[in-house]
Amino acid sequence: MPSSTRVGIQECNCLAVRQAARRITQLYDQYLAPAGLRTTQFAILAKLKRLGPLTINALANELVMDRTTLGRTMLPLERDGLITVKDGTSDRRSKELHLTQAGTERLRAARKLWSDAQVRFEAVFGAERALSLRNELTAVASTELEVTK
């Protein structure tokens, strides 16, 4: 590639998104800490509340996470009784994640904290810019970017 068209690390889309994600995650994690949840754990509970029981693969797909990472993230939720893992209803070889009553209560407590994080982010970044950012990131997350061979 000629040096005049070479892209430097400062133009790396992946790095920019990951740095922004880490910064935003730090903010939300600080707000959610009093509820004993991290941002990804909050997302798991919220998805299960909204969508009902899901297989591990379906939830990983919803969260755009790999199955292994989801498995590690959900272990403390299961240990703390916030979710249960049961045999699948349609295929007993699959496992379904269910939100427990304790999980529903923890989610309810965390929603106010999450809302406070949302308000803080929009106050600092700007509500209009935050909306635009969410729209763009939603578009990226729904775009198939995998390498095909």
Side-chain angles (χ1 to χ4, degrees):
M1 181 183 288
S3 62
S4 62
T5 59
R6 187 168 297 169
V7 176
I9 190 70
Q10 67 274 12
E11 287 95 23
C12 179
N13 298 312
C14 184
L15 177 61
V17 169
R18 290 178 63 88
Q19 287 175 321
R22 284 190 290 270
R23 178 71 71 203
I24 294 168
T25 298
Q26 289 168 356
L27 171 72
Y28 280 73
D29 280 349
Q30 288 173 353
Y31 273 87
L32 289 170
L37 293 174
R38 297 188 56 89
T39 304
T40 50
Q41 294 169 328
F42 176 83
I44 289 169
L45 298 179
K47 286 284 186 183
L48 291 175
K49 175 71 174 171
R50 189 167 66 85
L51 301 174
L54 292 169
T55 65
I56 293 172
N57 287 340
L59 182 58
N61 188 50
E62 280 289 322
L63 294 169
V64 191
M65 287 176 91
D66 67 74
R67 191 179 189 283
T68 314
T69 303
L70 174 59
R72 285 191 307 271
T73 304
M74 64 182 234
L75 287 176
L77 298 175
E78 184 180 16
R79 179 197 65 220
D80 295 346
L82 305 179
I83 63 170
T84 58
V85 181
K86 300 179 180 177
D87 289 336
T89 52
S90 60
D91 181 355
R92 296 183 74 49
R93 293 172 296 174
S94 69
K95 300 294 181 193
E96 286 182 348
L97 304 178
H98 294 256
L99 186 63
T100 65
Q101 184 60 40
T104 300
E105 290 168 13
R106 180 80 62 92
L107 179 60
R108 188 177 304 117
R111 276 199 192 277
K112 169 69 170 105
L113 302 170
W114 172 85
S115 181
D116 292 344
Q118 285 279 106
V119 168
R120 174 68 180 157
F121 180 79
E122 291 187 1
V124 172
F125 194 69
E128 202 170 297
R129 288 174 68 201
L131 174 61
S132 178
L133 178 65
R134 274 192 313 277
N135 289 338
E136 290 298 325
L137 293 174
T138 298
V140 170
S142 63
T143 301
E144 291 300 323
L145 297 174
E146 287 81 23
V147 176
T148 58
K149 293 182 181 182

